[in-house]
């Protein structure tokens, strides 16, 4: 019996203090070929924004995006993506692409995060090297 892979589903959710709070988007991952092409290292270079947005639209499974005037759900189709606000689609596609590449985007570090100050370890004293002696 062989291993049955399950294609990865990327689920984007945004915290309450994020500008996209409440938005949930589910997208398919990419084949290695498509992934490399979007990075510009495949047989075909599709690393331009237009190609990335087209692949984003094809990878879209579902979202909870609603029409701002009617409150009706907007279908998760390439045609609906094309009809939406360019800035919003680029933001969402950027988060999807970052998830594909393993980049973690999120809120800034909490206030309790250390500021990168002095390491608690003792520092190693640095002294000039002594002149070497000829053997």
């Amino acid at each position: 019996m062989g291993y049955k892979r399950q294609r990865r589903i990327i689920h984007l959710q945004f915290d309450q203090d994020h500008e996209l709070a409440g938005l949930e988007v589910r997208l398919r991952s990419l084949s290695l070929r498509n992934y490399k092409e979007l990075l510009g290292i495949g047989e075909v270079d599709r690393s331009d924004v237009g190609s990335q947005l087209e692949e984003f639209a094809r990878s879209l499974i579902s979202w909870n995006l609603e029409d701002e005037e009617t409150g009706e759900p907007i279908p998760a189709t390439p045609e609906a993506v094309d009809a939406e606000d360019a800035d919003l689609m680029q933001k969402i596609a950027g988060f999807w692409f970052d998830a594909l590449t393993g980049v973690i985007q999120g809120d800034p570090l909490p206030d309790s995060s250390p500021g990168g100050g002095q390491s608690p370890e003792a520092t190693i004293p640095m002294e000039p090297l002594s002149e070497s002696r000829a053997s």
Side-chain angles (χ1 to χ4, degrees):
M1 179 195 253
Y3 173 76
K4 282 188 176 181
R5 69 164 169 82
Q6 291 188 1
R7 191 168 294 258
R8 188 176 100 164
I9 302 295
I10 297 167
H11 189 191
L12 302 177
Q13 292 180 303
F14 301 91
D15 294 335
Q16 291 303 322
D17 54 344
H18 193 277
E19 67 177 307
L20 299 176
L23 178 64
E24 292 188 36
V25 184
R26 291 180 38 171
L27 301 124
R28 288 177 196 84
S29 62
L30 295 177
S31 69
L32 183 57
R33 174 183 296 130
N34 288 350
Y35 176 71
K36 290 188 317 185
E37 288 174 355
L38 288 182
L39 290 175
I41 59 175
E43 293 176 19
V44 177
D45 184 352
R46 297 180 53 227
S47 61
D48 61 284
V49 174
S51 294
Q52 292 172 354
L53 288 170
E54 286 174 9
E55 195 66 46
F56 161 76
R58 283 192 295 272
S59 299
L60 183 61
I61 297 170
S62 66
W63 58 12
N64 64 348
L65 191 62
E66 297 177 353
D67 184 275
E68 62 189 332
E69 294 176 10
T70 67
E72 292 292 316
I74 295 173
T77 63
E79 297 78 22
V81 169
D82 277 347
E84 281 304 310
D85 177 71
D87 289 338
L88 177 61
M89 293 302 103
Q90 288 179 7
K91 280 181 190 172
I92 298 169
F95 281 102
W96 168 71
F97 196 72
D98 287 345
L100 288 171
T101 58
V103 174
I104 299 173
Q105 283 192 7
D107 298 326
L109 292 173
D111 292 336
S112 62
S113 175
Q118 180 91 15
S119 169
E121 297 294 322
T123 58
I124 299 171
M126 302 298 279
E127 299 174 13
L129 296 174
S130 60
E131 291 185 30
S132 65
R133 296 184 223 171
S135 326

